[in-house]
Amino acid sequence: MTWTIAPEPYDSPAATALWRAYYTEVSDRWYLLHEGRRTDPDELEREIAAQPGTELAPPTGRLLIGRYDGTPAGSAGVRLLDPDTAELTRVFVLPGLRGLNGAAQLVAAAELTARLLGARRVVLDTRGDLVEARALYARLGYTETGPHNTDPYAEHWFRKELGTAEAVSRPG
């Protein structure tokens, strides 16, 4: 069984299902940690609908879907913040398929996508309770930095310098 990763429209059925799974998990984790309850279903639906992912559409963004043995199993989004800086977002692998190197492959594909969009660096933010995400980014060469945004849920910010797309495609 193998991972395949390819761009897909942010509103495709696979992308929509993965966004729902991702948002439900991170929202429930936050509410369980801070309020001892899961996300209110009405609030969950409003928030999912309010963030459809339009910023992940070409020409300045891409959503990548990872499929494990052909089944949609993970995602990673990239969007340009400025001509040199891309933001990595929506990195997610379904719980039952974690530990199979999917997240690292999604991040690598997102980094290549960022380079192809012209970015020289990737930034991202995450929360303190998402310890698995922070460990992944550190393992993949991201350095914790100061804030690059004012997202109220962001508690940790990371950055990674990239080579150019030409350097990636140039023969060894």
Side-chain angles (χ1 to χ4, degrees):
M1 301 216 194
T2 61
W3 286 94
T4 56
I5 299 170
E8 193 158 321
Y10 68 87
D11 57 354
S12 73
T16 301
L18 287 164
W19 172 231
R20 174 175 292 284
Y22 168 86
Y23 195 88
T24 300
E25 181 176 336
V26 297
S27 182
D28 279 353
R29 281 178 72 161
W30 192 90
Y31 278 111
L32 285 168
L33 179 66
H34 295 283
E35 297 184 13
R37 64 174 180 89
R38 294 196 178 281
T39 311
D40 174 83
D42 291 335
E43 178 186 3
L44 183 68
E45 292 305 317
R46 281 192 308 275
E47 291 302 316
I48 289 171
Q51 300 178 54
T54 54
E55 71 281 6
L56 303 176
T60 58
R62 301 286 186 284
L63 179 67
L64 304 171
I65 298 296
R67 286 181 164 72
Y68 188 73
D69 199 29
T71 301
S75 64
V78 176
R79 69 180 181 131
L80 287 178
L81 298 179
D82 63 49
D84 292 326
T85 308
E87 181 180 42
L88 178 62
T89 185
R90 295 193 187 195
V91 176
F92 175 74
V93 173
L94 291 172
L97 295 170
R98 293 177 185 161
L100 301 173
N101 202 35
Q105 290 185 50
L106 281 159
V107 171
E111 290 171 359
L112 176 58
T113 299
R115 284 186 198 100
L116 294 172
L117 290 171
R120 296 179 176 270
R121 76 191 59 82
V122 174
V123 297
L124 63 94
D125 67 70
T126 190
R127 296 191 328 233
D129 63 307
L130 300 177
V131 293
E132 307 91 340
R134 291 182 13 238
L136 171 72
Y137 300 132
R139 183 170 48 92
L140 297 178
Y142 285 79
T143 303
E144 194 155 357
T145 65
H148 65 267
N149 64 24
T150 58
D151 183 321
Y153 295 105
E155 297 170 319
H156 297 270
W157 294 264
F158 290 84
R159 174 184 179 130
K160 184 176 184 180
E161 296 298 320
L162 302 173
T164 63
E166 294 80 22
V168 171
S169 62
R170 200 175 318 147

